[in-house]
Amino acid sequence: MESILSSVKKMLGLVDEYEYFDTDIIMHINSVFSVLRQLGVGPKEGFAIRDANDLWSDFLPEGLKLEMVKTYMYQKVRLIFDPPASSAAVTAMEKSISEFEWRINAEVDYGEKKKKNVQYSNRQLSQEI
């Protein structure tokens, strides 16, 4: 079970025991969860963390093909919390974030289409019987 806060802090280069920036990082993580909600990822009512006890499995069900959300979360938080000094690095990160948004959108759309096809197939099957 992986803590959302702990994993983002680790990717930012902060040890878990160092809690000075936790409030700031949590605020940024929750902002990114709002963006993810608008992309169609996560619970319809939204999602937010309060501390290191909130887990990725609370947000992403097992087997969901959206593991890229974790990297997306890191990159978005990094760009807000500790952006690279080089404008070229910022531009590269922004391009990567845009690609992740496109891919997340594509995966969510594919999942919705697949769900509708399964529902349609079940309905058609029950009508044939």
Side-chain angles (χ1 to χ4, degrees):
M1 307 246 184
E2 188 178 10
S3 163
I4 296 167
L5 178 59
S6 297
S7 65
V8 171
K9 283 175 63 174
K10 180 182 180 218
M11 292 174 76
L12 289 170
L14 301 171
V15 293
D16 212 21
E17 294 75 28
Y18 188 70
E19 298 175 349
Y20 185 78
F21 293 112
D22 282 8
T23 302
D24 301 27
I25 295 169
I26 288 170
M27 180 177 61
H28 301 319
I29 287 171
N30 288 335
S31 294
V32 177
F33 277 131
S34 294
V35 173
L36 285 167
R37 167 65 194 97
Q38 291 176 346
L39 291 172
V41 179
K44 291 184 189 234
E45 64 277 0
F47 188 85
I49 68 168
R50 285 182 258 177
D51 55 34
N53 293 318
D54 296 295
L55 308 175
W56 281 110
S57 59
D58 298 333
F59 179 69
L60 290 174
E62 284 295 315
L64 197 59
K65 305 217 183 293
L66 288 167
E67 285 291 314
M68 67 186 104
V69 165
K70 296 175 184 178
T71 304
Y72 174 78
M73 173 68 72
Y74 155 70
Q75 288 186 340
K76 289 284 281 184
V77 171
R78 168 82 194 279
L79 203 53
I80 299 167
F81 177 73
D82 184 25
S86 160
S87 63
V90 169
T91 300
M93 189 172 277
E94 288 172 339
K95 284 182 180 181
S96 178
I97 287 169
S98 291
E99 180 181 348
F100 274 119
E101 287 171 343
W102 185 89
R103 291 183 182 282
I104 289 167
N105 237 336
E107 187 61 40
V108 168
D109 285 348
Y110 174 75
E112 288 300 313
K113 285 179 186 174
K114 190 173 179 183
K115 209 183 296 181
K116 286 178 185 175
N117 287 340
V118 167
Q119 289 171 351
Y120 177 75
S121 296
N122 289 342
R123 211 174 320 128
Q124 186 178 10
L125 181 63
S126 65
Q127 288 173 351
E128 291 175 2
I129 295 177

